[in-house]
Amino acid sequence: MKTFPVHFCSRLLPAFGRSAALAAGLMLAAPTFAADDEDYGNSLDWAPASASVYTSSLRIKEQIDVIAESNAWKKLIEIPSVAMGWQMAQMQINNPDGPAAMFWQLMELPENQQLAKLLGEMFSEEVVFIAGEDFPKFMELLSIVQGSRLAPMIEAINAGGGHIDPNEARVRAVADAIAEDPELLAIPDMLMAFKVKDNAAGETQLKRLEVVVKMALKNSEAEVEFKRETINDVEYLVLNLDGSSIPWPEEKPAGLQIDEETYDSLKEIISDKKVAVALGVWNGYVVLSIGESTEQLATLGDEDNDLLVETDSFEPLLPHLEEEEGDLVGVQYISEGVMKAQMLSAADLDDAAEELGTLLEASDDIDDELKGELSEDIVELADDLKPYLPKPGDVAGCTLKTEEGFETFTYNWAENTRLDGSLPLELTNHVGGNPVFAFVGRGVNDPEAYALLAKWVGKGIEYFEGYGLAEMDEEDRAQAEKVLEVVKPLLVKIDEATREHLIPALEDGQGGFVLDADITSKKWQGEMPESFVELPMAEVALVFGVSDADELKEAGKAYWSIAQEAVEAFKEFDESEVPEDFELPEPEETEASDGSIFTWAAPSEAKLDDQIALAIGVGEHVATISSSPELAERILTETPWKSFPVGSADEPRAVVVGFDFPALIDAITPWVDYGIRSSVEGEEAAGSEPEEGSQSGEIISQVHTGLEVLKCFRGVWSETVKEDDAWMTHTISNFEDLED
């Protein structure tokens, strides 16, 4: 069967190198991976080390051609409905009286044909994006705009008297943040570069663009400067925008949710800003530059520049970047500063706590004693959460095109104290054999995390008892007090069972999620029309590594006893909600080859197939909570993950993820057939196979062809391991063409 690579949507994290000093040392060693000048034939040869973001997409046309020449594409466009749609589109495109007629007339001009060819080249070989050192500030502003920064939002709500629409609060937060730190509004240096073969064509089209822009500006009232500027012997078209030319209203517009002082500050800050947009042809690239000036163009490709590929962050990638057999199709780098600007930090928590304290202090609805307690606890909560925040680091990676698809290597230098990559993940042999999707990881065993959760749940109850009950009317307060009488002792018992039994039982730290679809039925629910084919049912499960099976069983017994106590207690004061004769159904216990399975069938009123049932499986080293007993048994049984192509189950790993896309399509297909039969020919037709030539049969046939084409994507699998000081994620995405 022929295989073909398709550019999977993620041109994931790419590109690595090392410092120039390290290069000198490595020249003495073998094998040598050197980031020499002019070594790559792409933007890695000139991308500066000062970049805070760098992405490069390569061999774009080559990948599109592979798709266009594949059997899958031919099969797709032969589907009657697709072919008819394409034919109708062509008729519209080629209609001499249609909307595209003028376009085709313009395309008869040689200069426009040259433009079309140039645009094709620009998106064929390489597309590059580079952001400068000041880009993190831009990302910080963006996070405030998105509302992901807590302190500015709380401050804005506080400034609005505590009563403000969320969108208005966001506007106020952005305005206040800029007024407080004008650097947030700095225009970052950004550059896009498109590799081309015909420099002369690019220069010709620039001249045409110059004429068009000058004509447009001549008839415009905009105060902008447009000129040709020579920078290092390269001519650029430069558009200069000046914030001082913006016609600001003297008075703050009505409805703008900021105060006069902030409005005046914004006017002053924006009026001082300048933006320079430049377009030119440099070194075989059409270059678009945006920044406060054209200074970045003056140093572009300077021989004295340190290169990004020579930095430490790129060192692990050098063997992949220089690999002759692999085709490099993507490189990406994100600096620690940019990552930090997007993540919650300890300083953010402190700022949020301070702003919440200010908001509480200004409230007239909270007494002074409660204000003091809340303010102290907010600061304490912020301190408790800080150790659990990851510390950001550089992220870099590259993607290679292979015979089977794509292979990606991503290195992340963040300090993630919650992941543990020191041991093999035995749970990869307990995901059911060959699941549709599965995730397995190991976290650091941290009983203190549960202690913090219990601590703050307790504080919440204390606040409710101390202040919340007093705000209720007499009837509601009496009801709440009765509930607390039941709940508080039960919570104490749950806490004891968790600390004494569950946490020791799950000390292993492994956990996972499994999605599968092995169970089938023609009628999953009593009132649904019976299907003419077997319908797979989604099965989901949580999987846990077990350190002490006996302690886990003790925890289960304790929780079951607590649940029974809760039912009996609630019967005593709310018979309308819990009938007197209600009893928790006892599970059915069955012995599997590798453990015990406890099953709770669905209520008879649901009329569900018996295969759907809550199942808890407990083995010597594995436990699962599953939506079917069959999946629980498959998980307890040790079976290698058959389709997993990355790494080895015997090696230390922190995380593995796998997605078998054809298995998902196979599970969905019978349901699609069932739905088409029911909707086209009625529910009574769902139980019989469609007749040859029938409407539903024709639709099903075409849909099947489309689904077969989708199955050319064979899936994606990845593992994350610790390599020195970085987390390395190795991802494989496979594709396979249809047979001739």
Coordinates of all heavy atoms in Angstrom, one line a residue, residues 30 108 115 534 687:
A30 N 33.3 14.3 18.1 CA 32.6 13.6 17.0 C 31.5 12.7 17.7 O 31.7 12.1 18.7 CB 33.6 12.7 16.3
E108 N -5.4 38.4 -17.8 CA -4.8 38.3 -19.1 C -3.6 39.3 -19.2 O -2.8 39.1 -20.1 CB -5.9 38.7 -20.2 CG -7.0 37.6 -20.3 CD -8.0 38.0 -21.3 OE1 -7.9 39.1 -21.9 OE2 -9.0 37.2 -21.5
L115 N 2.2 38.7 -11.1 CA 1.8 38.8 -9.7 C 1.3 37.5 -9.1 O 1.6 37.1 -8.0 CB 0.8 39.9 -9.5 CG 0.1 40.1 -8.1 CD1 1.2 40.4 -7.1 CD2 -1.0 41.1 -8.2
E534 N -24.7 -3.7 13.6 CA -24.2 -3.5 14.9 C -23.7 -2.1 15.1 O -22.9 -1.6 14.3 CB -23.1 -4.6 15.2 CG -23.6 -6.0 15.3 CD -24.4 -6.3 16.5 OE1 -24.2 -5.6 17.5 OE2 -25.2 -7.3 16.5
G687 N -34.0 -0.8 10.6 CA -33.7 -2.2 10.9 C -33.4 -3.0 9.7 O -33.1 -4.2 9.8

